[in-house]
Amino acid sequence: MKTVRLLLAGVFTCLAVYLFVSAPVPLPDDQAIAGNIETIEVAKLFNAVNVINETAREIYTKRIVGQGVLAGFAFGEDWAEPGVEKGPLPALFLRLAANQMERKPAPLGLYLGSDAPINASNLFVGTQAGDFETLKATRAPVFSLTDGGTTVAMFPDIASAGPCVTCHNEHADSPKKDWILNDVMGATTWTYPSSQIAASDYLTTVESFFQAVEEAYGLYILKTQEFAQPIPIGTSWPTEGHMTLPNSATFMAEVRAQAADRVLAEMFVMASND
């Protein structure tokens, strides 16, 4: 519809501003965008936030964990325990972001599941187990609607980095020890309590997830300041023999920069289809 196209044209302008800067300007008033009248399919929201999640996890996995290990950092499941000088593993980083998202008004849920999880509580069962088999076969997102009206989206969680494969293969509780690069290790699973979202809420929910990612990384930064020798925090990334970490602004600037084109492309696809 023409109204929706005009609405989304305004949203593009706002989105472009905050996607490309590390400290976004305040979002405009909801009523100025859409007045909560027009709605968008929640599947399109899932596509956008999953891009952000994939980007953040890839950067964290490769540039923080992978390079951090070479620099001398340690990462583990017990990272949050008092006195433990470690950082969260990539899967736990996702969980941190999900936990931070739960604190926000937007009812967007996120969790990671698998048919061979290290943590048994992440095992897919019932309908979701069947959906995951479809996802593994096609490597394409699977969308479904529960009897209660909740929309569920599964996106393939691919073993894209060596640290992920090594961690799972060597973990004592892992039921699978022969993971290789590019395997589908699990599914990043999103939930939303309806199949439609107000256009104004779409924009604020996307930004809320950016904030959740930043807060998750910030928790790791805070932990490193409790070490016997606190890790220097600045604008540099860890490299072999160089124990330093980028601050939250630097980390998020990289996430926003790398995610921007794909999120904007998703928005343009959405506009052309409406």
Side-chain angles (χ1 to χ4, degrees):
M1 294 183 297
K2 184 180 294 185
T3 303
V4 175
R5 292 195 186 98
L6 291 174
L7 161 68
L8 292 176
V11 171
F12 291 155
T13 302
C14 300
L15 186 62
V17 170
Y18 75 73
L19 277 177
F20 287 97
V21 296
S22 58
V25 296
L27 292 173
D29 180 75
D30 286 351
Q31 298 297 322
I33 298 177
N36 290 318
I37 298 174
E38 302 292 353
T39 61
I40 296 169
E41 293 179 10
V42 164
K44 295 170 182 175
L45 169 68
F46 290 152
N47 289 338
V49 292
N50 197 66
V51 165
I52 299 167
N53 177 65
E54 286 182 345
T55 302
R57 281 190 65 197
E58 182 175 7
I59 292 170
Y60 183 79
T61 300
K62 293 182 177 179
R63 301 196 64 182
I64 300 298
V65 177
Q67 290 298 310
V69 168
L70 295 178
F73 297 155
F75 299 85
E77 292 173 291
D78 58 347
W79 76 279
E81 296 296 325
V84 174
E85 298 194 351
K86 298 179 183 178
L89 296 165
L92 298 181
F93 182 75
L94 179 148
R95 186 181 300 172
L96 283 176
N99 289 343
Q100 294 305 118
M101 194 66 205
E102 288 179 359
R103 301 170 182 266
K104 302 186 181 304
L108 178 69
L110 167 64
Y111 63 93
L112 189 62
S114 175
D115 59 355
I118 290 176
N119 188 328
S121 65
N122 295 330
L123 178 68
F124 284 132
V125 296
T127 301
Q128 288 195 345
D131 288 344
F132 183 60
E133 288 301 316
T134 300
L135 180 144
K136 286 199 299 181
T138 63
R139 293 189 170 229
V142 176
F143 299 91
S144 61
L145 191 66
T146 69
D147 291 339
T150 295
T151 303
V152 181
M154 285 184 174
F155 291 82
D157 189 56
I158 307 295
S160 60
C164 294
V165 173
T166 300
C167 177
H168 279 259
N169 285 341
E170 296 180 354
H171 198 288
D173 296 330
S174 178
K176 181 177 169 63
K177 304 289 188 179
D178 57 352
W179 295 104
I180 60 174
L181 285 174
N182 296 317
D183 275 348
V184 178
M185 302 186 78
T188 302
T189 307
W190 300 88
T191 62
Y192 196 83
S194 68
S195 60
Q196 299 284 320
I197 181 172
S200 56
D201 291 339
Y202 175 101
L203 185 60
T204 55
T205 301
V206 169
E207 177 57 26
S208 290
F209 189 65
F210 269 124
Q211 293 171 2
V213 170
E214 182 168 7
E215 291 163 6
Y217 182 71
L219 291 173
Y220 172 44
I221 293 295
L222 287 175
K223 176 68 174 181
T224 67
Q225 302 311 290
E226 299 174 1
F227 293 179
Q229 294 185 340
I231 303 300
I233 309 298
T235 57
S236 298
W237 297 74
T239 56
E240 187 170 0
H242 187 56
M243 296 184 70
T244 186
L245 285 170
N247 56 34
S248 293
T250 301
F251 180 83
M252 288 308 299
E254 187 69 12
V255 172
R256 288 178 183 273
Q258 290 193 29
D261 286 350
R262 291 173 62 195
V263 174
L264 285 171
E266 182 63 37
M267 292 284 287
F268 279 107
V269 168
M270 179 170 59
S272 65
N273 290 340
D274 285 318

